[in-house]
Amino acid sequence: MRCRGFTLIDMMVAIAVLAILLSIGLPAFGSLIDSQQLDTSANTLHRSVQYTRGEAARRNQFVTMAPLDQHWHSGWRVFIDANDNGMHDSGEIILREYKPPSSTHIHANANVDLYLRYNAQGESQLLNGGFQSGTFSFCPNRSGAKGRQLIINRVGRARMQRADIAEGRCPG
């Protein structure tokens, strides 16, 4: 009678091949996960901007989006800013509140650092009446990887792009 099975040498070769495949595949899988987290965070903020713009037009009044705890990566709130100060105060109606889905760092330039506000025509507008444009940068977790940018143009329209994020905008 003949026994069938694996020898110790067969098993060692199989484990060595598996170890080589894992050492090649895991770094690529990690970068795929980082890329998906960036896309998810950027898309969540993009949808929030679109919601804010749509609500301003639908309600025929200013609707504001502002970061929680003064940082966009902490989350943000969409609300009706009754006193036009760009901040949520007690008694003002909150339409939605968002927490980013991952630990992605979001940097906003000076024009949109404190708030993003839309008027009834769906245009982004500063508190002083000027047009509001700006860029939100999403920092990658891996060095050398492309980040994401959400760019608000002069009339309030938002678009996404992959980009290298400038030094100093991302934490260490």
Side-chain angles (χ1 to χ4, degrees), residues 3-117:
C3 290
R4 293 184 180 208
F6 296 106
T7 65
L8 182 59
I9 293 175
D10 292 337
M11 198 66 126
M12 289 174 63
V13 168
I15 290 173
V17 169
L18 182 63
I20 291 170
L21 290 174
L22 284 175
S23 68
I24 292 170
L26 282 180
F29 189 66
S31 65
L32 176 69
I33 289 172
D34 288 342
S35 178
Q36 285 300 108
Q37 285 178 339
L38 271 179
D39 286 339
T40 300
S41 294
N43 287 333
T44 300
L45 186 63
H46 191 191
R47 283 191 308 274
S48 300
V49 168
Q50 290 173 327
Y51 172 77
T52 304
R53 186 178 190 200
E55 282 298 302
R58 188 178 76 75
R59 293 172 180 269
N60 198 30
Q61 69 182 99
F62 287 103
V63 177
T64 302
M65 187 170 131
L68 299 174
D69 302 326
Q70 304 298 316
H71 302 286
W72 288 98
H73 52 266
S74 298
W76 52 90
R77 180 179 290 139
V78 178
F79 59 96
I80 296 177
D81 191 10
N83 61 1
D84 289 329
N85 68 351
M87 299 182 305
H88 179 261
D89 299 311
S90 63
E92 292 179 333
I93 299 169
I94 297 173
L95 302 176
R96 295 225 174 132
E97 192 168 290
Y98 297 89
K99 296 281 187 183
S102 67
S103 61
T104 304
H105 181 80
I106 303 170
H107 176 272
N109 69 356
N111 290 342
V112 292
D113 191 32
L114 300 175
Y115 66 90
L116 177 61
R117 183 174 97 140

Side-chain angles (χ1 to χ4, degrees), residues 73 103-107 137-141 165-172:
H73 52 266
S103 61
T104 304
H105 181 80
I106 303 170
H107 176 272
S137 299
F138 297 81
C139 299
N141 292 328
I165 306 302
E167 290 289 323
R169 293 194 178 183
C170 297

Side-chain angles (χ1 to χ4, degrees), residues 102-172:
S102 67
S103 61
T104 304
H105 181 80
I106 303 170
H107 176 272
N109 69 356
N111 290 342
V112 292
D113 191 32
L114 300 175
Y115 66 90
L116 177 61
R117 183 174 97 140
Y118 283 95
N119 64 24
Q121 289 77 34
E123 300 168 333
S124 53
Q125 188 175 8
L126 293 169
L127 295 175
N128 65 12
F131 73 86
Q132 184 180 27
S133 62
T135 303
F136 294 94
S137 299
F138 297 81
C139 299
N141 292 328
R142 294 179 181 255
S143 61
K146 293 252 188 216
R148 307 295 183 273
Q149 288 182 324
L150 177 62
I151 300 166
I152 311 296
N153 72 10
R154 171 169 202 208
V155 294
R157 190 168 171 206
R159 70 176 172 88
M160 295 287 302
Q161 72 178 17
R162 288 177 181 254
D164 292 320
I165 306 302
E167 290 289 323
R169 293 194 178 183
C170 297

